[in-house]
Amino acid sequence: MKHNPDDRSDNVERIQKNIDMTIENMHRADEMIEKTDDPNMKKTLKEKNDRREHALGGMRLEIEDEAKSREKRK
């Protein structure tokens, strides 16, 4: 089996795309929270947004690490 080299050249862009999509999902969930009268749905959406917010913190740290690593490779 042939080993594929670790191509990290697009990691910063890939992580940024994930951050952007997560933020968009949070905005959409906020809109749904405003529109729904279902307390269970509101609770579920708020919990999802809390998890998304936590994930964003990790993604932002990861993007910093990748950007630093990219600079070192130059």
Side-chain angles (χ1 to χ4, degrees):
M1 179 163 44
K2 190 174 184 181
H3 178 68
N4 291 331
D6 184 20
D7 181 11
R8 301 171 66 155
S9 62
D10 69 340
N11 279 3
V12 171
E13 292 78 14
R14 182 184 49 80
I15 296 166
Q16 185 60 55
K17 181 179 176 185
N18 288 338
I19 289 171
D20 294 343
M21 290 184 335
T22 300
I23 292 170
E24 177 64 26
N25 287 337
M26 290 176 73
H27 289 306
R28 289 180 183 190
D30 285 338
E31 290 173 3
M32 291 174 63
I33 289 168
E34 293 296 319
K35 292 178 182 177
T36 187
D37 293 327
D38 182 352
N40 290 328
M41 178 63 74
K42 285 185 182 199
K43 180 178 182 283
T44 299
L45 292 170
K46 286 178 182 180
E47 289 171 351
K48 282 185 179 185
N49 273 356
D50 288 343
R51 290 191 298 273
R52 288 176 177 132
E53 188 67 42
H54 181 73
L56 281 173
M59 285 188 268
R60 287 180 176 129
L61 290 175
E62 187 178 359
I63 205 169
E64 287 177 26
D65 289 344
E66 288 295 329
K68 288 176 187 175
S69 178
R70 179 184 280 181
E71 285 300 313
K72 288 179 184 176
R73 289 191 301 260
K74 286 184 176 182

